[in-house]
Amino acid sequence: MRLILLGPPGAGKGTQAKRLEETRGLVQLSTGDMLRAAVASGSPLGQQAKRVMEAGELMPDEIIIDMIAERIERPDCRNGFVLDGFPRTTRQAAALDQMLEGKKANLDAVIELAVDEGALIERISGRFSCAKCGAGYHEKFKRPKVEGVCDVCGSTEFSRRKDDNAETVAARLEAYRGQTAPILPYYEERGLLRRVDGMADVDEVMRQIEAVLASV
Ligand code: AMP
């Protein structure tokens, strides 16, 4: 199964993609995670990504397209994948179509996580994750069961994304509205777009996604 999760920052794409990885064995392809790994490595690409991400802007299409084209060819993607954070522009969407055509593969569904923008700032500004295993938490909605200890791996170190501050989030939302939302009609016209309520709690969103997947 090949899926795209679409939605603004903070809609829950990463959380749901990780769940689909666990429940369906799909590979999560997150361009944001790939760029954060590049930033951590200190490579020239990472240095560029750091500037762009901290400004809440988008990386150039060619770089992102090459990154995904290389990743999608790896054997683990053969059993299916869930794209999280890609495509983000009409050019990226067209490039993805070409990649899939070349592999004689098609998309099964594009799932939009529809959210109320007013809630996003609170969602994003409260989130943090385990520095060791990456498990996600939220100051208000999902604290670790034992304060200061990761539920999953027991680590006591946590980190926050540098671009999860109010100013950068405003720019990221602007990029979503201007450059990413316009690709929704592109998939709608092809009958691929399905909408789920991204404002529901995590389990309910997952249930709605599963219902979509059962119907495709
Ligand atoms: P995310 O983790 O998906 O919220 O992405 C974090 C940041 O990485 C974004 O705000 C962009 O600066 C950059 N980024 C991630 N994916 C893409 C993409 N497909 N195209 C351009 N920039 C991206």
Side-chain angles (χ1 to χ4, degrees), residues 8-10 13 30-33 35-36 49 52-61 64-65 67-68 84-89 92 127 161 163-164 168 172 175:
K13 302 185 294 294
S30 158
T31 41
D33 283 351
L35 292 171
R36 280 183 285 279
V52 171
M53 290 163 95
E54 284 177 10
E57 292 167 0
L58 295 186
M59 285 289 281
D61 284 332
I64 299 290
I65 290 166
M67 217 164 74
I68 283 289
D84 153 19
F86 178 93
R88 255 180 162 98
T89 64
Q92 292 179 17
R127 68 185 183 180
R161 281 174 51 167
D163 58 349
D164 279 352
T168 309
R172 288 161 66 198

Side-chain angles (χ1 to χ4, degrees), residues 87-204:
R88 255 180 162 98
T89 64
T90 44
R91 218 178 122 209
Q92 292 179 17
L96 175 65
D97 278 347
Q98 274 189 353
M99 284 176 223
L100 293 175
E101 245 171 63
K103 294 163 74 67
K104 303 228 178 309
N106 58 312
L107 282 170
D108 294 288
V110 178
I111 301 176
E112 178 191 1
L113 299 176
V115 285
D116 157 16
E117 268 199 22
L120 293 177
I121 304 272
E122 186 185 31
R123 271 199 185 187
I124 294 178
S125 54
R127 68 185 183 180
F128 61 98
S129 60
C130 170
K132 197 168 161 208
C133 74
Y137 297 95
H138 192 280
E139 277 167 8
K140 195 161 156 196
F141 309 122
K142 192 188 171 205
R143 301 192 67 89
K145 292 195 183 85
V146 177
E147 202 54 42
V149 182
C150 175
D151 297 349
V152 179
C153 76
S155 165
T156 52
E157 279 183 46
F158 295 89
S159 61
R160 273 175 197 273
R161 281 174 51 167
K162 262 196 132 172
D163 58 349
D164 279 352
N165 60 74
E167 197 185 325
T168 309
V169 171
R172 288 161 66 198
L173 281 173
E174 191 62 40
Y176 180 79
R177 279 187 226 111
Q179 293 172 264
T180 307
I183 66 183
L184 292 167
Y186 177 82
Y187 291 118
E188 184 144 44
E189 279 158 24
R190 291 161 51 191
L192 285 170
L193 189 67
R194 307 299 171 92
R195 198 168 228 247
V196 305
D197 175 13
M199 295 308 294
D201 72 46
V202 182
D203 292 332
E204 171 58 17

Side-chain angles (χ1 to χ4, degrees), residues 63-79:
I63 292 180
I64 299 290
I65 290 166
D66 285 352
M67 217 164 74
I68 283 289
E70 186 270 324
R71 183 65 188 85
I72 233 168
E73 284 304 322
R74 293 201 213 149
D76 61 342
C77 288
R78 246 181 251 144
N79 297 331

Side-chain angles (χ1 to χ4, degrees), residues 40-53:
S41 79
S43 66
L45 168 69
Q47 288 167 23
Q48 178 185 5
K50 187 171 188 299
R51 285 193 300 275
V52 171
M53 290 163 95

